[in-house]
Amino acid sequence: MTGMTSSERPLLNRRLAEFGTTIFAEMSALALSTGSINLGQGFPDTDGPVEVREAAVLALREGRGNQYPPGPGVPELRTAIAAHQERRYGLSYDPDAEVLVTAGATEAIAAALLALVEPGDEVVALEPYYDSYAACIAMAGGTRVPVTLRPDGATFRLDLDELRAAVTPRTRLLLINTPHNPTGTVLTRDELTAIAELAVERDLLVVTDEVYEHLVFDEAGHLPLATFPGMRERTVTIGSAGKTFSFTGWKVGWVTGTPKLVSAVRSAKQFLTYVASGPFQYAVAEALRLPDTYFTAFREDLRAKRDLLGTGLADAGFKVFQPSGTYFVTTDIRPLGETDGFAFCRALPERAGVVAIPNAVFYDHKDAGAPYVRFAFCKRTEVLVDAAERLRKAFAH
Ligand SMILES: *Cc1c(COP(=O)(O)O)cnc(C)c1O
């Protein structure tokens, strides 16, 4: 930037220039100004279990977590995270050396990438990707290499040959997300096996975002990448209380991995927030110990909501990609005679009184994402019934 005075220089640096605005702000504003039902941003419209909320109140009253908690997280929560991984997946982690509490999964992603990526390293990520991935790879000075999930019948699938071809000698890590936002794809055992074999063969690190681990609608349930052969020692697994317990504002997330990996991630994390969410950490420790009935009821509730909104969208004429996980449904708008998801989502509030998100915002290959639109179904049943009715009225004939 030689020859430019300070005031001529763009304020936002080059690494972040492409991430100037987020679609969520624009769409949420549109929802407000048009009185539309907001199925754009993915947060529940009811809070999680009352006993978990009360546990936070109690911690706050008793002065647990009101001052800086320990850097790695409060021991009660680290122990509960380790017990959860053991009980659900048979993965054993030492709560002291192999568990790190973060300010949501968002900080876990940022800290993992800032810690593990050297400028110039390539990071292979599934496209469409959660919006913070691209920004965090950029902040770490890495180069993102998207591998596009392709529509295949009623789902989006990973092309394993494309994935293998994306790995070069400069590849440092694979950034995986299963269950996958925004497509609702859950990677199969065969796909995960292939990813694991590739990581071992090319000696890659893996960061896997599994925040929707409790929202898998298939019989198989969630398969953590770290359980596959050769993976525990090279995988940073990211979880979060926000999605599982419907307290997205609490921002309690975590990382599990080997002592070396966790210690590397902690090196970055300590200079981001240092610590966060003190009293909430105690409450999440209790939430993780809720009986299986909680997790089953939560999943079944979301399954019914998936089917409710999915049916409404199909009746309205959308092609619906049936999500096997998460609380999002991706649709194809081409059967409605539309091709541009951005234009469609900008017009949708006026046309139907519903807000959705164009999947293209989650793509580098904008064309590949153009005809897809994402709806969130983590809303009260009556809200989804109303939304489905509005969509039917606006589009079905
Ligand atoms: C919501 C979400 C996150 C962020 O989780 P927080 O705990 O709220 O920071 C990360 N990854 C994916 C895929 C998500 O959908």
Side-chain angles (χ1 to χ4, degrees):
M1 295 269 151
T2 46
M4 254 195 216
T5 68
S6 183
S7 60
E8 284 166 352
R9 227 179 87 171
L11 281 175
L12 189 59
N13 70 47
R14 267 174 291 171
R15 292 189 305 287
L16 290 178
E18 66 171 302
F19 308 109
T21 51
T22 128
I23 190 83
F24 294 103
E26 180 190 341
M27 289 300 165
S28 292
L30 210 51
L32 271 181
S33 66
T34 58
S36 295
I37 298 176
N38 191 354
L39 304 183
Q41 208 168 7
F43 61 88
D45 60 356
T46 43
D47 289 346
V50 73
E51 63 269 37
V52 174
R53 191 191 65 194
E54 290 309 307
V57 172
L58 193 65
L60 203 134
R61 283 221 178 93
E62 291 178 347
R64 286 179 289 133
N66 289 336
Q67 308 304 330
Y68 296 135
V74 304
E76 288 84 347
L77 177 54
R78 280 184 280 119
T79 304
I81 292 165
H84 171 271
Q85 299 304 97
E86 174 80 56
R87 171 163 71 110
R88 315 233 30 135
Y89 312 122
L91 281 165
S92 85
Y93 288 104
D94 172 2
D96 292 326
E98 300 189 309
V99 178
L100 172 67
V101 177
T102 56
T106 306
E107 190 193 34
I109 293 159
L113 292 168
L114 288 169
L116 302 173
V117 173
E118 203 69 75
D121 283 348
E122 290 177 357
V123 175
V124 172
L126 307 184
E127 175 187 70
Y129 41 71
Y130 184 64
D131 55 350
S132 83
Y133 296 176
C136 288
I137 294 167
M139 286 193 277
T143 303
R144 67 179 181 274
V145 178
V147 174
T148 310
L149 301 181
R150 310 276 179 197
D152 177 3
T155 62
F156 281 80
R157 299 257 59 100
L158 172 61
D159 181 327
L160 293 169
D161 291 327
E162 254 182 79
L163 177 68
R164 285 185 206 103
V167 174
T168 76
R170 289 179 302 282
T171 308
R172 174 62 165 165
L173 69 82
L174 306 178
L175 178 50
I176 303 296
N177 170 216
T178 184
H180 182 262
N181 174 9
T183 64
T185 293
V186 172
L187 296 177
T188 62
R189 185 178 291 280
D190 286 348
E191 288 165 338
L192 292 165
T193 302
I195 291 170
E197 285 169 0
L198 179 66
V200 170
E201 181 195 315
R202 306 297 292 267
D203 194 19
L204 304 174
L205 298 175
V206 177
V207 174
T208 176
D209 176 344
E210 303 185 359
V211 301
Y212 295 101
E213 64 191 300
H214 290 289
L215 282 178
V216 177
F217 306 117
D218 299 340
E219 279 313 305
H222 176 62
L223 300 171
L225 203 40
T227 58
F228 286 72
M231 292 307 281
R232 193 192 181 285
E233 54 265 43
R234 64 182 67 249
T235 301
V236 172
T237 302
I238 294 173
S240 171
K243 308 292 162 59
T244 297
F245 301 110
S246 301
F247 287 113
T248 57
W250 287 9
K251 297 299 285 189
V252 177
W254 52 84
V255 158
T256 50
T258 62
K260 276 189 182 152
L261 285 169
V262 165
S263 148
V265 176
R266 192 170 55 232
S267 299
K269 184 259 184 303
Q270 66 188 334
F271 299 119
L272 295 175
T273 58
Y274 177 49
V275 291
S277 313
F280 299 128
Q281 292 192 28
Y282 292 94
V284 171
E286 293 194 25
L288 284 167
R289 296 187 191 283
L290 285 171
D292 287 349
T293 48
Y294 166 75
F295 297 92
T296 308
F298 175 62
R299 190 180 64 231
E300 292 313 313
D301 180 46
L302 269 297
R303 184 206 301 278
K305 289 174 171 173
R306 171 194 73 168
D307 294 344
L308 174 58
L309 184 64
T311 304
L313 287 163
D315 290 349
F318 292 79
K319 174 178 165 60
V320 175
F321 294 94
Q322 173 83 324
S324 300
T326 77
Y327 45 49
F328 299 107
V329 55
T330 283
T331 59
D332 187 336
I333 57 175
R334 284 174 294 189
L336 300 170
E338 301 272 349
T339 51
D340 178 353
F342 273 106
F344 182 83
C345 287
R346 291 205 169 99
L348 191 60
E350 283 297 339
R351 260 175 107 173
V354 173
V355 163
I357 295 291
N359 282 30
V361 299
F362 307 120
Y363 284 79
D364 281 318
H365 304 100
K366 298 291 176 206
D367 289 348
Y372 305 118
V373 167
R374 187 193 81 173
F375 295 82
F377 53 83
C378 49
K379 308 293 175 182
R380 282 170 293 131
T381 300
E382 59 269 31
V383 172
L384 296 174
V385 167
D386 188 0
E389 204 41 51
R390 291 179 186 207
L391 290 163
R392 281 193 193 96
K393 260 208 199 111
F395 295 103
H397 22 244

